[in-house]
Amino acid sequence: MRQLGSLESEVMHVLWAADEPLAVRQVLEVMQRDRDLAYTTVLTVLDNLHRKALVARTKQGRAWTYAPAITHANHVAELMGEVLAETPDRGTALLRFVEQMPAHEVAELRTLLDALDSGEPDSQS
Amino acid sequence: MTAAIALVAFLVLCGAVAPRALSPRWTYRAPALGIMAWQSVTVGAVVALGLLGLVLVLPFIHLSTDWASLVDACAAELRSRYRTPAGIGLGVAAAAGSVLVLARLAWVVLRDARAARVRRRSLHDKLELVGRIQASPETHPLQFIEIEQDEALVFCVPGRAKRRAVVVTSGARRALSPDQLRGVLAHERAHLRSSHGLVLDMARALERAVPLPLFRRAAAEIALLVEMHADDAARGRTRTELARALLRLAAGPASATAASAALGALGGGTGILERARRLVEPAAPLGRPRRLLVQASALGLVVLPVLIAVIPTLLALAFDCCGRGPIG
């Protein structure tokens, strides 16, 4: 399952990088620069993505062409929205390294670290 | 009757003494041990709550006969040892209360586990789609997923082997030096390795299921100790770098989140300063005798309520049915 998952990611990146909807053959062409792939594999992946409403397809002549349904930026925004909306209430879906600190705590932390630096050369910018 | 009183006394002592006994003065020096201590206090208290109901209702239900024949004691003797003056009314009420608490606990655990699983899957799917796996030489062999985002954020998504991930935004990557990034990644990996998601889930489930101050306090302390435990994955010079990373990632734009509000449970602070202080000015680790004392007490706290509940049975075993006194 993981294999297919990362293939979906690669295909999406190909579509995002393109200016226009692409046919299966065109996607295959780009991806074959890095590895060996079958036409049917790419077709399956695009079908899955279409089922998940991640790509839209239109008929151009006799071939289907595919384009991303949502921009890359919007996907990231959706992800960030989910991450920031996490509360500790209903189970732990993720663990953040650190929360936002109130201003007075930031000041105290800065003082603590400055006191440290006064004893050694500061190599960080 | 003594069993019931002893169990209540145990509960009251847990609530009154535990917060003082489990003080930051030593728990911050040994976070893993501190987590275990808080877990054993809360588990012991829940066991005591459950057994309290059983002990009060036992003389009046058929279970007493089954239990008596199981341990080969006189049923009448057994029942009289557990009987309380308050009678069947109190027994039934207490049993109902215990069942309620345990049922609610089970319900909360299952519901939260399912809700979290759904959210984790959604996060993971999105990460797989838009994230880029990074394994830079400066953090070798630590892998992470980078997402293109200005806001400096680092987090991990717990889960089974292939579905867990450490995530760093490009904003965070820019804000941190290689040493700091290494420290932060080690911290997140420690969360995954030590199943901290599960630890937090259990603590919060107990807090929601049992509306007593002890459980709320336990959940808050465990949340902070979990972070300190992960901080300890950084060794030597990386520890001060990790403290700097705390500042760089916590002093960002004020994107107020519900999580940051919830974490201010410890006397109004976020606990971040405590984390930084112990990274920068490490205290001496806990000596062996104290560690052993804590471990023994933790075990004792869970075993004691069971012992209390079983003592009347042991007393009943010493006498036979005709009340002739101790046998042989």
Side-chain angles (χ1 to χ4, degrees):
Chain A
M1 273 311 285
R2 183 118 228 271
Q3 271 292 19
L4 208 57
S6 62
L7 269 181
E8 289 185 358
S9 173
E10 277 187 58
V11 167
M12 286 303 299
H13 279 96
V14 170
L15 294 178
W16 276 318
D19 296 324
E20 44 166 20
L22 299 179
V24 179
R25 213 158 277 290
Q26 290 169 294
V27 176
L28 180 68
E29 224 173 79
V30 174
M31 290 179 76
Q32 275 188 322
R33 293 179 204 154
D34 293 321
R35 45 139 105 236
D36 254 326
L37 268 183
Y39 179 93
T40 44
T41 309
V42 178
L43 183 61
T44 309
V45 171
L46 282 166
D47 257 346
N48 289 343
L49 289 171
H50 181 255
R51 239 188 326 107
K52 295 187 194 178
L54 290 170
V55 303
R57 68 178 181 198
T58 45
K59 207 120 198 231
Q60 282 191 11
R62 272 191 305 173
W64 288 102
T65 56
Y66 298 82
I70 312 173
T71 63
H72 183 272
N74 281 351
H75 264 300
V76 174
E78 261 184 50
L79 171 60
M80 289 299 295
E82 280 183 34
V83 171
L84 292 173
E86 271 292 312
T87 75
D89 271 349
R90 309 259 162 178
T92 316
L94 60 86
L95 288 131
R96 282 177 70 167
F97 173 64
V98 71
E99 312 297 326
Q100 292 300 304
M101 287 172 88
H104 69 276
E105 284 195 20
V106 171
E108 266 197 72
L109 183 51
R110 229 184 271 280
T111 312
L112 179 72
L113 291 170
D114 285 345
L116 202 71
D117 289 342
S118 61
E120 67 183 56
D122 189 19
S123 52
Q124 315 306 330
S125 55
Chain B
M1 167 156 128
T2 336
I5 294 178
L7 283 173
V8 170
F10 175 84
L11 279 165
V12 169
L13 276 173
C14 274
V17 175
R20 236 167 314 192
L22 273 50
S23 103
R25 264 205 306 277
W26 71 263
T27 56
Y28 290 4
R29 289 162 63 189
L33 206 61
I35 292 169
M36 193 201 60
W38 278 109
Q39 284 175 326
S40 73
V41 164
T42 47
V43 166
V46 165
V47 167
L49 275 170
L51 287 174
L52 184 61
L54 181 63
V55 150
L56 282 168
V57 85
L58 190 66
F60 309 107
I61 57 177
H62 196 263
L63 189 63
S64 60
T65 322
D66 296 334
W67 175 239
S69 54
L70 188 71
V71 297
D72 203 23
C74 170
E77 189 66 41
L78 192 82
R79 278 195 288 271
S80 82
R81 298 259 162 209
Y82 281 103
R83 204 176 296 271
T84 69
I88 190 169
L90 178 67
V92 169
S98 292
V99 167
L100 209 71
V101 165
L102 294 175
R104 176 141 173 85
L105 181 62
W107 159 248
V108 168
V109 166
L110 289 173
R111 178 200 62 186
D112 288 358
R114 169 143 28 107
R117 197 167 42 239
V118 167
R119 297 202 310 279
R120 274 202 305 269
R121 195 176 307 142
S122 168
L123 284 169
H124 191 266
D125 286 345
K126 291 190 166 68
L127 282 169
E128 216 163 26
L129 207 63
V130 299
R132 306 197 106 91
I133 299 182
Q134 304 284 308
S136 49
E138 62 232 12
T139 57
H140 178 81
L142 302 173
Q143 262 196 343
F144 59 98
I145 295 179
E146 181 171 345
I147 53 179
E148 197 59 54
Q149 175 71 14
D150 284 339
E151 177 150 7
L153 204 64
V154 174
F155 61 94
C156 68
V157 182
R160 284 196 311 274
K162 289 246 189 281
R163 301 193 66 82
R164 46 168 64 163
V166 174
V167 184
V168 180
T169 60
S170 47
R173 192 132 185 227
R174 281 192 292 272
L176 300 174
S177 75
D179 277 342
Q180 289 161 5
L181 181 61
R182 192 199 316 275
V184 168
L185 289 176
H187 171 107
E188 295 301 322
R189 298 254 303 213
H191 277 321
L192 296 177
R193 236 194 342 261
S194 307
S195 304
H196 284 160
L198 205 62
V199 169
L200 288 169
D201 279 349
M202 285 315 303
R204 283 166 185 152
L206 281 170
E207 180 185 10
R208 293 183 79 74
V210 192
L212 292 174
L214 174 68
F215 295 90
R216 185 164 47 247
R217 178 70 188 270
E221 290 290 331
I222 287 177
L224 183 55
L225 287 170
V226 150
E227 293 304 328
M228 290 180 170
H229 185 214
D231 284 340
D232 284 347
R235 303 229 170 276
R237 214 185 133 260
T238 323
R239 287 179 76 84
T240 41
E241 292 309 314
L242 197 62
R244 289 188 221 274
L246 279 173
L247 179 62
R248 297 215 181 168
L249 295 181
S255 56
T257 69
S260 76
L263 209 66
L266 298 152
T270 54
I272 300 173
L273 276 173
E274 282 81 357
R275 281 174 67 186
R277 280 194 199 106
R278 70 184 287 279
L279 282 169
V280 161
E281 305 149 350
L286 227 55
R288 190 123 203 278
R290 274 181 86 172
R291 296 186 76 95
L292 286 172
L293 176 65
V294 170
Q295 282 161 342
S297 308
L299 184 63
L301 276 170
V302 177
V303 165
L304 190 57
V306 177
L307 269 178
I308 293 175
V310 155
I311 280 178
T313 305
L314 296 174
L315 288 173
L317 277 171
F319 292 81
D320 72 9
C321 270
C322 300
R324 281 200 299 257
I327 302 170

